[in-house]
Amino acid sequence: MVRQLLPVSALLLGSALLLFAGGMNSLILPIRGAQEGFSAASLGLLGTGWALGYVAGCIYTPRLVGKVGHVRAFGVMSGFAAVAVLLSLLLLTPWTWIPLRAMSGFCFAGAAMIVESWLSERAEPSTRGRIFGLYTMVNLGASTAGQLVLTLGDTSGYLYFVLPAIFYCLALMPTAMSSKALPKPLVSVRLDLRALWRNSPVAVIGVLCVGVSNSAFGTLSAVYADGIGLAITAVALFASLPVLAGAVSQIPIGWLSDRLDRRAVLIGVAAAALAADLVFIALSPESRALNLVLSAFFGAAIYAMYPIIIAHANDHAAADQAIQVSGGLLMLYGVGSIVGPLLAGFGMETLGGAGLFMTSAGAHVLLILFAGLRILLRAPVDEADKASFVPAPAARAMTPETAALASGEMDEEAASVEDAPASTNPDAG
């Protein structure tokens, strides 16, 4: 296995450097913004800006790569990401940070797509699953490490703006120095609501709700933790523990969803997330330990829902449509990610910290009610017809290329999915 991983080791290193920088960047902005007196509404708009940029990056990057090539495109993405971080240090106002955060989202999506397309090209069919698993672990570990680094220094200075910029620049080295052949064109997707709805209504509503909830928490969790008086170490843990817990919880929840109606499992997980929402709203706990336990429980629920939804959608899709379904739902998740931080930010501005969890509670209630309605209207998929559950990183760190790497469908028909028809399964959930 070591021999098989050597050809992709440089790409994994580049991805780790990218996610390490991204982890620092994503946490320093809300923490520093709160220290500078930025309003919760403006900090929520940082998440909206990121999501807008990320969706635009997923859409536009394939065209950019087609014009200038993989290496040049990756260099542009990494370079502009570093510039965005440094400008955030020089221009300490929320109204400059929002477009700069959109620039970061665009660059991050583009760079991730290029790395993932390279991994897809290099991975052999016999090792693709292990490489995808290792890639997911590397990204999770690097992103978490980047967030936890903030506990080692002073967040009021320039250090945690300069360090991410350095690591963004270092991330372009492995691809720039690679002598291997360039991969095939990147996967391109577009948002086709009608096709996605025909394939699975639950997936459409579910991924929108999850986008609202997850992006709101991902953007403003540090603001909430800082607002209730947690120390910087606890703030970093409050933001990173949920992601780790979500990665672990996908194993038993995925096993369960492969054996039961995925919609019922989704309802159960959403109910667990809603229970945590209500505890945060009703009790407003101030205990450091209780907040960390609750945040981990919350993350175990919210970050396990997206892969359940993707698996459910693929249960109804034709075998050659996995990439276009997953890519289209990712774009829809991006729409939810644009709305979530915006609603939560204004909610926190008017209602305090409870506004964050009221936003996610509303999304979880809608998801539970709609999935329950669909269970009453349509029978579940036969177990023999189910697609395999594929554990996934937090959807915000995914691109259409992630689906390609996970599924292994990189033939010419799957490489361009814009004109692919959608499933019209009448029993779609």
Side-chain angles (χ1 to χ4, degrees), residues 275-296:
D277 285 322
L278 296 176
V279 172
F280 276 116
I281 294 168
L283 299 182
S284 299
E286 297 183 1
S287 164
R288 177 181 183 271
L290 181 57
N291 271 288
L292 294 181
V293 170
L294 280 173
S295 71

Side-chain angles (χ1 to χ4, degrees), residues 28-380:
I28 186 59
L29 292 180
I31 291 176
R32 183 62 176 271
Q35 292 173 349
E36 296 290 333
F38 295 178
S39 68
S42 64
L43 293 175
L45 285 171
L46 295 180
T48 297
W50 166 273
L52 282 168
Y54 198 89
V55 171
C58 289
I59 294 172
Y60 182 72
T61 297
R63 282 184 283 172
L64 178 63
V65 171
K67 290 180 180 179
V68 304
H70 291 73
V71 174
R72 289 176 180 174
F74 190 90
V76 167
M77 298 297 181
S78 297
F80 272 110
V83 168
V85 178
L86 294 176
L87 284 177
S88 297
L89 173 63
L90 295 177
L91 305 172
L92 287 170
T93 67
W95 308 116
T96 54
W97 277 20
I98 293 166
L100 289 172
R101 192 62 177 147
M103 182 193 297
S104 294
F106 183 93
C107 295
F108 199 87
M113 285 185 74
I114 293 168
V115 169
E116 289 168 4
S117 71
W118 232 313
L119 285 172
S120 293
E121 188 82 3
R122 301 270 186 92
E124 298 292 335
S126 61
T127 61
R128 183 178 296 275
R130 280 173 287 179
I131 287 176
F132 175 72
L134 182 60
Y135 170 74
T136 302
M137 290 174 59
V138 166
N139 284 356
L140 177 63
S143 179
T144 303
Q147 292 181 326
L148 293 178
V149 163
L150 268 69
T151 65
L152 303 178
D154 182 9
T155 57
S156 64
Y158 63 84
L159 176 65
Y160 292 116
F161 290 87
V162 174
L163 276 180
I166 292 173
F167 279 94
Y168 275 132
C169 292
L170 289 175
L172 66 84
M173 301 301 178
T175 53
M177 298 174 65
S178 175
S179 61
K180 301 292 184 180
L182 297 180
K184 296 177 184 178
L186 272 65
V187 171
S188 59
V189 298
R190 65 183 178 90
L191 181 56
D192 187 342
L193 281 176
R194 290 184 179 180
L196 292 172
W197 184 267
R198 288 195 301 267
N199 184 69
S200 173
V202 164
V204 170
I205 300 300
V207 82
L208 273 172
C209 293
V210 171
V212 169
S213 170
N214 292 17
S215 63
F217 184 77
T219 300
L220 294 167
S221 58
V223 179
Y224 174 87
D226 183 68
I228 62 174
L230 296 183
I232 184 61
T233 301
V235 171
L237 288 173
F238 190 88
S240 58
L241 281 178
V243 180
L244 294 173
V248 173
S249 70
Q250 289 183 40
I251 298 172
I253 290 174
W255 179 88
L256 195 63
S257 77
D258 283 340
R259 286 154 179 80
L260 302 175
D261 186 343
R262 293 198 206 274
R263 297 169 300 180
V265 176
L266 183 61
I267 289 174
V269 176
L274 178 60
D277 285 322
L278 296 176
V279 172
F280 276 116
I281 294 168
L283 299 182
S284 299
E286 297 183 1
S287 164
R288 177 181 183 271
L290 181 57
N291 271 288
L292 294 181
V293 170
L294 280 173
S295 71
F297 179 81
F298 187 66
I302 65 171
Y303 291 124
M305 285 190 271
Y306 184 84
I308 296 175
I309 293 169
I310 297 299
H312 175 71
N314 285 332
D315 289 343
H316 297 289
D320 60 348
Q321 294 176 347
I323 294 176
Q324 55 262 36
V325 168
S326 298
L329 289 175
L330 178 65
M331 296 297 102
L332 201 56
Y333 178 93
V335 174
S337 297
I338 293 168
V339 175
L342 183 64
L343 293 177
F346 282 101
M348 293 179 72
E349 191 72 17
T350 56
L351 301 171
L356 170 59
F357 294 100
M358 286 182 179
T359 301
S360 60
H364 295 144
V365 167
L366 176 59
L367 174 55
I368 291 168
L369 292 177
F370 188 80
L373 176 64
R374 295 301 301 176
I375 288 177
L376 295 176
L377 295 176
R378 298 294 184 187

